[in-house]
């Protein structure tokens, strides 16, 4: 497995292990706030939690375009933080052949933790490789 592939698998596994069933995504939000801060992006949280009976709001971040894309229109990366039930206290299994599953006592939570992991990895590579990139929210 290539180094970046391992990093994505590790990131997904780490994210999948964070409890975050619907209306109880606070731990996931806190994880994302910390991870994006490491990338120089401040996430802003809206106030929807109190209106829907949840414990965290939606998160929004913004990174300026760089290089030849500095004046481009923004693009959006979007993913959700919650999992369905049973989604707490997961046990992740890295199977031979590269598949990842839960132990079947809970959901895996791949929808949409794999999307979040992909977004973080994409922006991490932009920073590491000093790439030009589009703006995004």
């Amino acid at each position: 497995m290539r180094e970046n592939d391992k990093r994505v698998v590790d990131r997904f596994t780490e994210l999948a292990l964070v409890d975050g069933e619907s209306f109880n995504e606070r731990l996931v939000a806190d994880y994302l706030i910390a991870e994006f801060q490491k990338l120089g992006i401040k996430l802003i949280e809206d106030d929807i939690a109190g209106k829907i009976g949840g414990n965290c709001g939606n998160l929004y971040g913004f990174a300026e375009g760089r290089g030849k894309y500095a004046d481009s229109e923004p693009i959006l990366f979007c993913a959700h933080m919650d999992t369905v039930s049973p989604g707490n206290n997961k046990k992740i299994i890295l199977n031979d052949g590269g598949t990842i599953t839960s132990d079947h006592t809970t959901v895996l939570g791949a929808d949409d933790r794999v999307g979040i992991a992909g977004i973080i990895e994409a922006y991490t590579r932009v920073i590491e490789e000093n790439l030009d990139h589009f703006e995004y929210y």
Side-chain angles (χ1 to χ4, degrees):
M1 181 181 299
R2 296 180 308 188
E3 181 180 336
N4 285 342
D5 293 342
K6 181 182 179 332
R7 185 168 67 187
V8 171
V9 169
D10 291 346
R11 167 86 59 197
F12 165 72
T13 302
E14 188 175 87
L15 265 164
L17 289 171
V18 178
D19 290 344
E21 290 181 350
S22 297
F23 302 101
N24 193 27
E25 302 100 343
R26 176 82 266 148
L27 294 175
V28 182
D30 290 344
Y31 174 93
L32 294 176
I33 290 166
E35 292 304 305
F36 277 97
Q37 186 174 14
K38 291 175 189 175
L39 296 171
I41 298 173
K42 179 181 179 184
L43 296 183
I44 300 164
E45 187 170 340
D46 68 17
D47 64 349
I48 194 67
K51 297 174 183 175
I52 64 169
N55 68 354
C56 77
N58 298 299
L59 301 176
Y60 302 90
F62 180 79
E64 295 287 337
R66 296 181 353 178
K68 64 184 174 184
Y69 300 114
D71 296 323
S72 297
E73 291 294 316
I75 59 172
L76 172 73
F77 293 96
C78 180
H80 61 89
M81 297 183 282
D82 66 327
T83 63
V84 297
S85 180
N88 292 334
N89 302 309
K90 295 181 214 86
K91 292 166 188 68
I92 307 298
I93 299 171
L94 303 173
N95 298 292
D96 293 338
T99 61
I100 304 170
T101 62
S102 73
D103 69 350
H104 304 293
T105 62
T106 66
V107 298
L108 178 59
D111 173 22
D112 196 20
R113 304 293 173 84
V114 72
I116 296 170
I119 291 168
I120 294 170
E121 178 63 20
Y123 198 70
T124 298
R125 289 187 191 187
V126 164
I127 298 301
E128 287 177 348
E129 298 173 25
N130 197 30
L131 301 173
D132 293 346
H133 68 86
F134 289 104
E135 297 174 336
Y136 77 95
Y137 289 94

